[in-house]
Amino acid sequence: MSYNMHILVCGGTGCQASSSKTIISRMNEYLKEKNLDKEVQVIATGCFGFCEQGPIVKIMPDNTFYTQVKPDDTEEIINEHIIKGRKVSRLLYKEPEHHNPVSDSKHIEFYKKQLRIALRNCGFIDPENIEEYIAREGYTALAKCLTEMTPQEVINEIKLSGLRGRGGGGFPTGLKWEFASKYVADQKFVVCNADEGDPGAFMDRSIMEGDPHSIVEAMAICGYSIGANKGLVYIRAEYPLAIKRLRIAIKQAEDYGLLGENIFGTGFGFTIEIRYGAGAFVCGEETALIHSMEGHRGEPTTKPPFPAESGYLNKPTNVNNVETFANVPVILNKGAKWFASIGTEGSKGTKVFALAGKINNVGLIEVPMGTTLREVIYEIGGGIKNGKKFKAVQTGGPSGGCLTETHLDTPIDFDNLIKVGSMMGSGGMIVMDESDCMVAVAKFYLDFIVEESCGKCTPCRVGNKRLYEILSKITEGKGTMEDLDNLRNLSHVIKDTALCGLGQTSPNPILSTIDNFYDEFVAHIRDHRCPAGKCKALLTYHIDSQLCIGCTLCARNCPTNAIAGERKSPHFIDTEKCIKCGTCIDKCKFNAISIR
Amino acid sequence: MDKIKSLADLKKIRDNVQSKIELREKSENPEKSVQIKVAMATCGIAAGSKETMTYFIENLERNGIPAIVTQTGCMGYCFAEPTVEITKPGEEPVVFGHVTPHKAEEIIQKYLKNGELVEGIIPVNYNSI
Ligand SMILES: Cc1cc2nc3c(=O)[nH]c(=O)nc-3n(C[C@H](O)[C@H](O)[C@H](O)COP(=O)(O)O)c2cc1C
């Protein structure tokens, strides 16, 4: 007999870090104790996306969605819900607006606007069990391609679907496959780019952790269409769980004859190996990635030749991103027309985003192309944390830009984001509120770039360093208006002359913040003032003489003796001596001290 | 493990494993299946609701009726336990009282398969939120 109830527990990296493994083992123990282990099955799944509320536990068939579950809650869930059929309401999600518990995920705002294609199996199947993947139509797309379609027909289907690369560039996937298929060689390669170097991004990691077989299947399909029998996954070593699940998936596929020689008795053979990266941003760039796999330094080379012509070991190589691959089996199962019916004119299907920053629902989401930034931030994301005001949203990672209030109704797709001065990138989305200083944000990204530049070409190695220095000057109140022009000019020079995509896009965060937040730069330069109150060098501490009663507490605690004043009369701060440590604010019981 | 050598082999495995996740797939879209809620509070369990529930699960499957069987708390009809609420796709829920496995079989054959009414319906005349 099959199980009557399934308990799905998130086994993604985030939820595992908050004890989801212990939750699973305790559940299994209690179920055994109560003799229910034959009726109730506990399954560790991939990421549900609602990481802000993790660990997530979902109970089927009644679809109950429990959030922030702790190991000590497991006994209650089993006693109350599983045995007596009563939901444990304190663990249900409460929508911040009305505070009423919502019992199933379909009715949670976070999920309402989402459409999960690339994430279709994440949080639904056990990623370490190939049979659950097969039950979800897994490997039928591969079977269909190998037994019913020619390689060119597969390529045509992908072209027709309008799928574009999800790794950042948005290049049409079908066209890329066609290029690689046209080159004649004794050996070709399929490479999956799982480097995922954007700060804060975890889309690809979650797909590999939650549905690794979809990548294995898609790589084999790609191999068939371009005429390659070898696949390589380039993944950063700091993704241990994703690596483990991929390894299991590859081994299972081999055991089932879905990788190896003569797949489906068609004579087509395909194998997959994993290559580990050390986690350098530039190694996500395809030529640098290929050099790194060859055992050379992870440095880019100029294109052409493109990898499709001369890639890994100088053989024709097709490089695609994890999320791009994850879409492929579904397209072949449901048809290119179905896929092309979702999204906008130039961008079909969905996009996965990692929502982060000052937003209520931090997590992983997937929405149809054409969803607006406002829908993502306010409806799915639940708005800005702590009731603060929205200021900007950064998309496209270190190559992207910061968008403002005026861009919120822009439908998200590859072309629209470029039009407004940012880009899709791989799907990082960082939300900022009124307390974030945009000059400091630009400096943060430049700091990342200076750290990650491989140093091979001068514009990127030296140019970005100079940009960083100018930004530092401005945040210290030592900037001039001329610096603003220099920032702009140097940015354009770097964009035009850098060797690879890293340098060609690295000034984008600066250019977009100067365009969209010009006044904030000017405030730093002319008024020596940081409007967001973030740049330490520009802040001054003040004591309000109306509020200060002269208790002397601040003066006694000031580490530099910068505060003076008579007992029982208002005190004042010597800004020369003040080191802006904030101790006085913490100590003052009358809210008399403020930062300006 | 025998290797998959053809599309037919893959289909065979898929048919075999489908049932493993069927419960999850049905629950994602509950409105498409028959939903059966068995009252499993103390009074229900004492009156044998556990057997009723198991009977439904096993025999709905045998009769090929796609259904989601869940348990709920006390419905308040303690005089008529075991009580069961049944919602057919697109219809209003109907509550049955005194549902023994014998009665369950009658419900499956008459109400669910042929749409005939059976005795033992408890009139529900309140609205719940
Ligand atoms: C600096 C830099 C970093 C990149 N990092 C990644 C990455 O982490 N993952 C990725 O898939 N593509 C990355 N790319 C894009 C790849 O070069 C390549 O375009 C992509 O893997 C192609 O796959 P797609 O067509 O499926 O998007 C990066 C590009 C640059 C210039």
Side-chain angles (χ1 to χ4, degrees), chain A residues 259-490:
Chain A
L259 283 179
E261 297 292 307
N262 198 18
I263 302 171
F264 291 114
T266 58
F268 172 73
F270 194 77
T271 55
I272 297 179
E273 266 179 42
I274 302 181
R275 294 297 163 85
Y276 308 101
F281 180 58
V282 75
C283 286
E285 196 281 332
E286 52 191 13
T287 60
L289 178 151
I290 287 168
H291 298 309
S292 166
M293 288 201 305
E294 290 168 339
H296 301 300
R297 291 177 79 136
E299 290 180 348
T301 40
T302 44
K303 296 187 275 194
F306 286 92
E309 182 186 350
S310 172
Y312 183 60
L313 305 178
N314 300 323
K315 303 289 183 193
T317 302
N318 181 82
V319 185
N320 274 127
N321 164 261
V322 171
E323 188 187 332
T324 313
F325 277 128
N327 280 291
V328 166
V330 201
I331 292 175
L332 291 155
N333 280 331
K334 290 191 178 259
K337 286 219 181 74
W338 165 81
F339 190 79
S341 71
I342 302 159
T344 62
E345 187 64 35
S347 308
K348 300 303 185 187
T350 56
K351 181 75 193 82
V352 182
F353 290 100
L355 272 187
K358 309 284 178 57
I359 191 158
N360 278 316
N361 301 336
V362 167
L364 196 69
I365 64 158
E366 181 170 356
V367 288
M369 296 276 190
T371 306
T372 64
L373 286 164
R374 190 184 299 282
E375 287 171 303
V376 169
I377 295 169
Y378 286 94
E379 293 178 37
I380 299 172
I384 310 302
K385 265 210 165 95
N386 303 324
K388 290 223 170 119
K389 236 181 106 214
F390 167 84
K391 182 166 187 182
V393 53
Q394 212 280 348
T395 70
S399 314
C402 288
L403 302 174
T404 67
E405 187 86 41
T406 56
H407 303 115
L408 281 182
D409 293 308
T410 309
I412 304 169
D413 75 3
F414 287 109
D415 312 309
N416 279 338
L417 286 182
I418 288 178
K419 237 180 269 163
V420 294
S422 183
M423 61 185 260
M424 182 81 89
S426 60
M429 199 179 268
I430 300 175
V431 176
M432 291 156 212
D433 70 15
E434 53 196 325
S435 68
D436 287 304
C437 166
M438 299 318 288
V439 185
V441 166
K443 194 174 126 193
F444 165 81
Y445 281 103
L446 251 289
D447 187 27
F448 177 82
I449 291 292
V450 168
E451 190 77 17
E452 294 289 340
S453 169
C454 75
K456 186 173 177 181
C457 73
T458 316
C460 181
R461 182 185 66 243
V462 181
N464 282 315
K465 186 119 192 150
R466 294 291 95 83
L467 287 179
Y468 180 79
E469 286 163 4
I470 300 175
L471 284 174
S472 299
K473 245 175 90 185
I474 297 177
T475 57
E476 284 159 16
K478 296 176 189 147
T480 61
M481 289 307 281
E482 204 191 342
D483 284 330
L484 273 186
D485 294 332
N486 286 340
L487 274 180
R488 277 213 178 100
N489 291 339
L490 183 53

Side-chain angles (χ1 to χ4, degrees), chain B residues 47-48 51-52 55-56 81-84 97-107:
Chain B
E51 289 81 49
T52 303
Y55 191 87
F56 269 118
E81 293 296 347
T83 46
V84 171
H98 299 295
V99 186
T100 56
H102 181 72
K103 188 82 189 171
E105 182 60 29
E106 190 186 342
I107 292 174

Side-chain angles (χ1 to χ4, degrees), chain B residues 111-127:
Chain B
Y111 182 65
L112 292 176
K113 273 193 142 171
N114 297 328
E116 295 166 33
L117 284 184
V118 292
E119 272 184 46
I121 294 181
I122 301 176
V124 185
N125 45 16
Y126 61 88
N127 290 321

Side-chain angles (χ1 to χ4, degrees), chain A residues 71 76 157 215 270 294 381 471 497 522-523 547 553 556 580:
Chain A
E76 188 175 348
E157 192 72 4
I215 306 303
F270 194 77
E294 290 168 339
L471 284 174
T497 55
V522 174
L547 295 173
L553 199 58
R556 277 183 282 139
K580 299 160 193 172

